[in-house]
Structures are given as structure tokens and as C-alpha cells.
Amino acid sequence: MTPAQQILPLLMEIEREMRALDLWSQTMPDAQSLMSQQPFCIDTLEFHKWIQWLLLPRLQHLVLAQLPLPESCAVAPMAEEVFKAMEENTEHLLELLVQLDQAVTDAT
């Protein structure tokens, strides 16, 4: 399986894990929040909402449309920092994000 082919199952597993941790929102943030120019929309969204509403859909679109992926991905270090303050057991979610970073980086 190529790195690009590994990405879609990882995206689905990340979604499943976020739902299990109750980090999945049913309500989409307003358009202005999604248009932040800051990394991870840190000024307008909680990190897990950025994953849900921006990262996962964008990567899925790129893979399905067979468009070029980013040259590298480094979401896990930010996740590690953010997850420290959370009560939920985010260890598996962090492992999945590490795998996603690696798969995206390897695909280019």
C-alpha cells in the first residue's frame, strides 16, 4: 500500500477516535472562524475542531482527487501540546496523528 493509500484509512480512524473521545462536533464553525490565517486556526478554533473541519476534509479531498499532498505534515507536535491539557485519554489519537504525519510526508 502506498503512503497516499494509507492516508484515507487513517483519516477515518482519526474521526472514529475523535468521536469516541467526544471531540467531534455536529455544528460547523462559522466561515470566518475557518478562514483564520494563523497556523491551526489557533485564534479562532479549538485544535480538535481544526482537525475535524479543515485538516481531515482537505487531506481527503487531495487524496481522492489525486492532487499533490503537502511536502510534509507536522500536526502531531501541536496535538501533543494541546492534548496535555485535556482530561480525555488522547494517547491513541496522538499515535494516529503521528502516523498521519508520516504517511503524508512519505507520500511526497
Side-chain angles (χ1 to χ4, degrees):
M1 185 181 305
T2 68
Q5 292 169 322
Q6 293 174 2
I7 292 172
L8 288 178
L10 276 171
L11 298 179
M12 290 186 289
E13 183 63 23
I14 290 167
E15 177 180 340
R16 276 192 292 275
E17 185 64 15
M18 288 178 65
R19 286 180 185 274
L21 294 170
D22 201 25
L23 296 176
W24 196 262
S25 175
Q26 299 302 317
T27 307
M28 185 174 190
D30 62 76
Q32 187 173 1
S33 295
L34 298 171
M35 295 174 55
S36 169
Q37 297 301 304
Q38 297 297 314
F40 311 108
C41 295
I42 197 71
D43 59 335
T44 59
L45 292 176
E46 293 174 85
F47 182 68
H48 65 276
K49 290 183 180 180
W50 174 82
I51 292 172
Q52 176 183 351
W53 297 107
L54 292 171
L55 179 67
L56 299 182
R58 284 181 183 172
L59 287 176
Q60 181 179 26
H61 170 73
L62 292 174
V63 171
L64 291 175
Q66 297 182 339
L67 295 171
L69 292 166
E71 289 183 18
S72 66
C73 188
V75 174
M78 179 66 171
E80 187 173 12
E81 232 5 79
V82 171
F83 293 167
K84 285 179 186 177
M86 299 177 79
E87 292 181 18
E88 295 87 349
N89 181 353
T90 56
E91 186 175 319
H92 183 60
L93 180 55
L94 181 58
E95 289 171 12
L96 292 169
L97 292 171
V98 167
Q99 291 174 33
L100 181 63
D101 283 352
Q102 190 65 52
V104 170
T105 302
D106 288 350
T108 56

